[in-house]
């Protein structure tokens, strides 16, 4: 699993989410990248990203997040950046920041994250962002990058949906989601966000609570999938009715990504 992770100085959680087996074959590698935001990227980071040949960037962040932390691109970047305008979490906050309101302990943080995940698949701007993401997978060639702020919640849900719809084994869907907790330098990633979280909500938040907010847990993703199944019966029906990803679109995406 760790072989798919690329290490950078200022970009966290950067990794390839291809390479998994499906009933139709193996998802190609070198085409599907995911990460956190690139606002702190160094020139060396940008040069390394340039070498990947990424032609499409899907940014799941909201308008305020993009204004606060605009992503840096290498000077020769001539790709397309795709996003849906608005606030993807219903506010100007990233999901983990929203979930941190009023909490001090790790148990409270976990409960807040599960409440967040129960609603995340149905937030209007995120739905529009996910529609753009799947449309890009179907219609645009070359490599793509999917990211949000930390690359773990909105990005994690989007990638898990993609893997599930292409038929990746459930255990591997979850393993890729949980790779956030060990990818790159997680301690540095968590520390980079701890200051802003405590500045917003106060110093009484425990270290364990910050870690719970800035990490992922299996129950978080299970909560999102349970909410989807409760409303739609299964993920494929949710994808068709909410995201516009029907069987024909799944097949078109698979034709591009598997082989």
């Amino acid at each position: 699993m760790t072989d798919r992770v690329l290490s950078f100085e200022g970009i966290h959680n950067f990794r390839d989410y291809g390479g998994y087996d499906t009933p139709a074959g193996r998802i190609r590698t070198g085409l599907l990248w995911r990460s956190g935001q690139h606002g702190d990227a160094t020139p060396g980071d940008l040069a390394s990203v340039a070498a990947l040949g990424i032609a499409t960037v899907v940014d799941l962040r909201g308008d305020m997040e993009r204004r606060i932390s605009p992503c840096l691109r290498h000077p020769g970047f001539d790709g397309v950046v795709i996003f849906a305008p608005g606030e993807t979490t219903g506010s100007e906050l990233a999901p983990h920041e929203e979930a941190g309101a009023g909490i001090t302990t790790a148990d409270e943080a976990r409960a807040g994250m599960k409440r967040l995940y129960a609603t995340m698949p149905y937030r209007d701007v995120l739905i529009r962002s996910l529609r753009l993401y799947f449309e890009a997978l179907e219609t645009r060639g070359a490599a793509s990058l999917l990211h949000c702020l930390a690359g773990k919640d909105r990005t994690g849900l989007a990638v898990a949906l993609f893997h599930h719809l292409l038929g990746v084994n459930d255990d591997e869907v979850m393993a890729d989601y949980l790779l956030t907790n060990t990818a790159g330098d997680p301690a540095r990633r968590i520390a980079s966000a701890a200051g802003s979280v405590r500045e917003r909500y106060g110093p009484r938040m425990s270290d364990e609570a910050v870690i719970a907010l800035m990490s992922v847990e299996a129950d978080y993703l299970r909560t999102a999938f349970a909410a989807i199944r409760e409303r739609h019966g299964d993920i494929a029906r949710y994808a068709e009715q909410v995201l516009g990803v029907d069987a024909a679109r799944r097949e078109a995406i698979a034709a591009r990504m598997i082989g």
Side-chain angles (χ1 to χ4, degrees):
M1 291 288 289
T2 55
D3 290 345
R4 62 181 64 248
V5 178
L6 301 185
S7 294
F8 296 97
E9 292 182 60
I11 307 173
H12 298 294
N13 206 7
F14 198 111
R15 60 192 203 257
D16 189 333
Y17 61 96
Y20 293 105
D21 289 325
T22 77
R26 179 165 291 183
I27 300 172
R28 298 165 65 188
T29 58
L31 283 182
L32 298 164
W33 299 96
R34 55 176 289 183
S35 75
Q37 54 88 14
H38 293 206
D40 300 317
T42 67
D45 292 341
L46 297 179
S48 296
V49 172
L52 301 176
I54 292 168
T56 305
V57 177
V58 182
D59 186 346
L60 300 180
R61 297 177 302 164
D63 293 343
M64 185 65 72
E65 293 173 277
R66 280 188 289 273
R67 285 196 291 270
I68 292 172
S69 300
C71 282
L72 303 176
R73 312 290 178 199
H74 57 87
F77 178 73
D78 59 357
V80 174
V81 180
I82 298 170
F83 61 88
E87 304 301 345
T88 62
T89 61
S91 72
E92 77 279 8
L93 304 177
H96 64 272
E97 293 174 325
E98 179 183 343
I103 67 100
T104 58
T105 70
D107 285 346
E108 291 171 342
R110 293 188 181 98
M113 290 298 292
K114 286 194 283 187
R115 287 193 298 271
L116 173 80
Y117 269 75
T119 64
M120 204 159 52
Y122 294 98
R123 298 195 175 196
D124 178 64
V125 178
L126 184 55
I127 287 171
R128 288 192 276 122
S129 299
L130 293 173
R131 283 176 168 264
L132 293 173
Y133 165 58
F134 282 105
E135 181 181 348
L137 291 178
E138 180 189 13
T139 61
R140 294 190 58 79
S144 66
L145 169 70
L146 175 70
H147 78 88
C148 53
L149 184 69
K152 70 183 192 73
D153 298 315
R154 289 163 289 186
T155 298
L157 175 62
V159 170
L161 289 169
F162 165 78
H163 282 153
H164 185 90
L165 292 172
L166 262 64
V168 175
N169 176 277
D170 287 347
D171 289 341
E172 291 190 313
V173 173
M174 184 62 74
D176 189 88
Y177 172 76
L178 294 175
L179 188 57
T180 282
N181 293 334
T182 55
D185 188 341
R188 186 160 56 91
R189 174 180 59 80
I190 291 170
S192 71
S196 63
V197 170
R198 283 201 169 100
E199 181 179 353
R200 184 177 296 276
Y201 295 121
R204 294 179 58 245
M205 187 182 295
S206 69
D207 291 344
E208 292 78 12
V210 173
I211 291 171
L213 290 174
M214 290 304 301
S215 302
V216 293
E217 298 189 7
D219 277 350
Y220 300 170
L221 184 59
R222 289 189 189 118
T223 297
F225 279 4
I228 288 171
R229 291 185 174 109
E230 182 178 357
R231 291 202 199 185
H232 287 86
D234 59 40
I235 292 171
R237 191 170 292 112
Y238 162 82
E240 180 172 356
Q241 296 178 354
V242 177
L243 305 181
V245 184
D246 58 12
R249 176 162 279 183
R250 288 201 309 271
E251 292 175 5
I253 292 171
R256 283 182 172 270
M257 300 300 163
I258 294 173

